[in-house]
Amino acid sequence: QVQLVESGGRLVQAGGSLRLACTAPGRNSVNYTMGWYRQPPGFFREWVASVTFAGDSDVADSVRGRVNVSRDNAKNTMFLEIQNLEPEDTGLYYCNSHPVPFFIWGQGTQVTVSS
């Protein structure tokens, strides 16, 4: 079973930027379309962005224009860059396969945006 580890979350002021990372330690490659998901406080987990193994990406309308998703297959790592952060971006950010998240969820990385 693939273990996913997210990192890079922190407290940041509105308007700032972050780069999150997702890795799968111990795996040679994760040959799946991978996605970023987030769970704001008191809400359900939602899809944010995804990237295929070939590098084709897609992002949710709520973050379009502020988000870039990419992956380094050689390092088995996926990235999420968020610019112009808004308080509404606050939440736990997770990675998993997309559109069906069939790996065990990691612990996520907390992003907190202060206004």
Side-chain angles (χ1 to χ4, degrees):
Q1 182 60 276
V2 175
Q3 178 184 0
L4 301 168
V5 179
E6 301 91 352
S7 63
R10 60 182 175 89
L11 173 65
V12 63
Q13 286 190 331
S17 61
L18 277 178
R19 189 189 199 205
L20 308 181
C22 165
T23 62
R27 293 278 300 203
N28 291 329
S29 66
V30 180
N31 189 5
Y32 300 97
T33 294
M34 293 295 292
W36 282 98
Y37 303 81
R38 69 184 180 188
Q39 186 167 13
F43 290 87
F44 293 109
R45 190 176 291 155
E46 63 182 8
W47 169 73
V48 176
S50 55
V51 58
T52 69
F53 190 78
D56 298 319
S57 62
D58 193 13
V59 300
D61 289 340
S62 61
V63 296
R64 194 176 301 281
R66 300 191 295 117
V67 160
N68 180 55
V69 58
S70 61
R71 66 194 292 169
D72 183 338
N73 293 327
K75 296 182 179 180
N76 214 15
T77 303
M78 177 176 65
F79 302 98
L80 182 71
E81 297 179 45
I82 316 174
Q83 299 175 346
N84 296 323
L85 281 156
E86 304 170 350
E88 291 73 21
D89 294 318
T90 294
L92 264 172
Y93 283 69
Y94 302 87
C95 60
N96 210 315
S97 55
H98 177 80
V100 178
F102 49 75
F103 297 129
I104 295 174
W105 292 98
Q107 296 201 353
T109 187
Q110 177 68 41
V111 173
T112 303
V113 183
S114 62
S115 57

